[in-house]
Amino acid sequence: TNMVPGVDTFTLIEMNDDATVVFDREPLDWILFNKVLQRKELARPKSHGNYLPSIDKAVKIILEEARKLQALGIPHHDAPLFSMVMLSDGKPSDRDLSSNCRALIRQLASFLKYKFSFFSMGLGSTDSDFTVLRDLTSTAEVNGGKGAFNHAGLSASNISSGLSMISSSLSSMRSD
């Protein structure tokens, strides 16, 4: 699927043993909204939550789109924003690979700079370990991107507030 310049798209990658692309560069519209609502009813937690395959897949998709725009001669300042939103209930199952995850986020943030945002949200109790999510967020920030981490806990209200914050940040950055 090719991205159409000027059209916001959404890709959903589920973390498990591998990266499962559920939606690939779908336009942000009511059709997608309904698909996401349907997915909520079908999705079930399973297996391990490996960060690396999913981050690797997301970085490849974003870089592919950014390079297509570059090849079309679109200047960096006119390029769209690229954002990654990562939700996790704690430490990744592939703990030994967190440095590789940081390297991928570093690569993306260094290439896109202020055109890249990394939002992460921890969904779990206060004793859950979100060190890797925090590290990935700061890696994006240190390398020219934007980032924000939110520990929403287990509260539906906090999760909703966290997602609203991400949405507001994206809208604000788009307006800029």
Side-chain angles (χ1 to χ4, degrees):
T1 305
N2 289 326
M3 184 185 78
V4 178
V7 174
D8 292 330
T9 62
F10 173 83
T11 297
L12 174 66
I13 302 169
E14 290 182 350
M15 279 188 288
N16 40 53
D17 288 330
D18 295 313
T20 304
V21 177
V22 178
F23 303 119
D24 188 14
R25 297 167 250 209
E26 296 272 341
L28 287 174
D29 57 19
W30 287 106
I31 295 169
L32 174 65
F33 178 77
N34 288 320
K35 286 181 180 180
V36 170
L37 289 178
Q38 289 171 349
R39 183 69 191 160
K40 179 184 79 158
E41 300 301 321
L42 300 173
R44 299 287 176 257
K46 63 180 180 196
S47 197
H48 297 286
N50 293 325
Y51 282 20
L52 186 59
S54 297
I55 291 174
D56 184 51
K57 177 68 78 174
V59 168
K60 285 178 180 170
I61 289 169
I62 291 171
L63 286 176
E64 177 185 331
E65 296 304 326
R67 289 185 175 129
K68 282 180 190 176
L69 294 169
Q70 196 176 45
L72 290 171
I74 296 174
H76 186 71
H77 64 274
D78 287 337
L81 300 172
F82 293 91
S83 299
M84 188 182 304
V85 180
M86 191 164 177
L87 309 177
S88 177
D89 62 358
K91 272 187 178 180
S93 297
D94 52 356
R95 286 180 210 116
D96 298 341
L97 301 173
S98 63
S99 63
N100 292 335
C101 293
R102 282 192 304 274
L104 287 166
I105 298 300
R106 183 179 312 112
Q107 175 190 13
L108 199 53
S110 296
F111 181 71
L112 294 171
K113 299 291 184 196
Y114 64 93
K115 294 289 186 168
F116 174 66
S117 299
F118 183 87
F119 299 99
S120 59
M121 183 182 299
L123 306 169
S125 64
T126 54
D127 61 341
S128 298
D129 186 353
F130 297 111
T131 305
V132 175
L133 279 182
R134 284 186 167 99
D135 287 348
L136 294 174
T137 303
S138 64
T139 297
E141 293 174 315
V142 166
N143 289 282
K146 297 179 182 177
F149 170 79
N150 177 9
H151 180 206
L154 298 170
S155 159
S157 174
N158 289 347
I159 294 168
S160 177
S161 295
L163 292 172
S164 291
M165 182 273 305
I166 291 169
S167 177
S168 294
S169 294
L170 291 172
S171 293
S172 174
M173 290 175 351
R174 192 164 192 244
S175 296
D176 291 345

